[in-house]
Amino acid sequence: QLQASGGGLVQAGGSLRLSCTASDVLRYNLGWFRQAPGKEREFVGAIRWSADRTYYADSVKGRFTISRDITKHTMYLQMNSLKLDDTAVYYCAAGSLILRNDASDYSYWGQGTLVTVSS
């Protein structure tokens, strides 16, 4: 079970932190995806189950950071320097393959949380 939270309205240049509570997926690799209105779902970043490796899409590299607290069964997405193009519904997902950027490689999905970046 995956539960994403933390979305909201933020001004461009601001920061927001999303959380994903991931019960029963302790040994799974986790990822964040997002889907903007009228666009396909796209990869944001991923973290290995052991939290020792991460992988980011070029569009967010240097601005977003993924971390994972295994003891709390929670993954985080720290988003800084937000841009209007970051507006989307953000989803967390779990899969058995390491650091994948293809949504089809993830077996379990959360319900999504909306992030809106305003000018």
Side-chain angles (χ1 to χ4, degrees):
Q1 299 293 330
L2 298 167
Q3 182 82 21
S5 62
L9 176 65
V10 61
Q11 285 191 324
S15 298
L16 203 62
R17 189 177 80 159
L18 305 183
S19 299
C20 174
T21 303
S23 61
D24 300 326
V25 291
L26 183 62
R27 296 297 293 266
Y28 279 75
N29 303 288
L30 301 179
W32 285 100
F33 288 78
R34 65 186 182 186
Q35 187 166 17
K39 295 186 178 181
E40 294 186 354
R41 189 169 299 189
E42 67 170 352
F43 172 74
V44 174
I47 188 166
R48 192 170 179 233
W49 69 269
S50 55
D52 59 346
R53 288 179 61 190
T54 54
Y55 171 42
Y56 298 95
D58 288 342
S59 59
V60 306
K61 197 174 296 181
R63 300 188 298 121
F64 290 10
T65 302
I66 296 175
S67 60
R68 184 173 184 177
D69 187 333
I70 298 175
T71 63
K72 295 182 179 180
H73 301 277
T74 301
M75 173 178 65
Y76 303 98
L77 178 65
Q78 177 66 45
M79 305 185 293
N80 299 327
S81 302
L82 282 162
K83 305 176 180 179
L84 297 179
D85 288 346
D86 295 319
T87 295
V89 177
Y90 283 71
Y91 299 89
C92 56
S96 58
L97 299 177
I98 297 175
L99 302 179
R100 310 296 289 188
N101 63 4
D102 190 327
S104 64
D105 289 328
Y106 292 81
S107 303
Y108 306 98
W109 291 82
Q111 84 291 357
T113 185
L114 175 62
V115 172
T116 304
V117 183
S118 65
S119 58

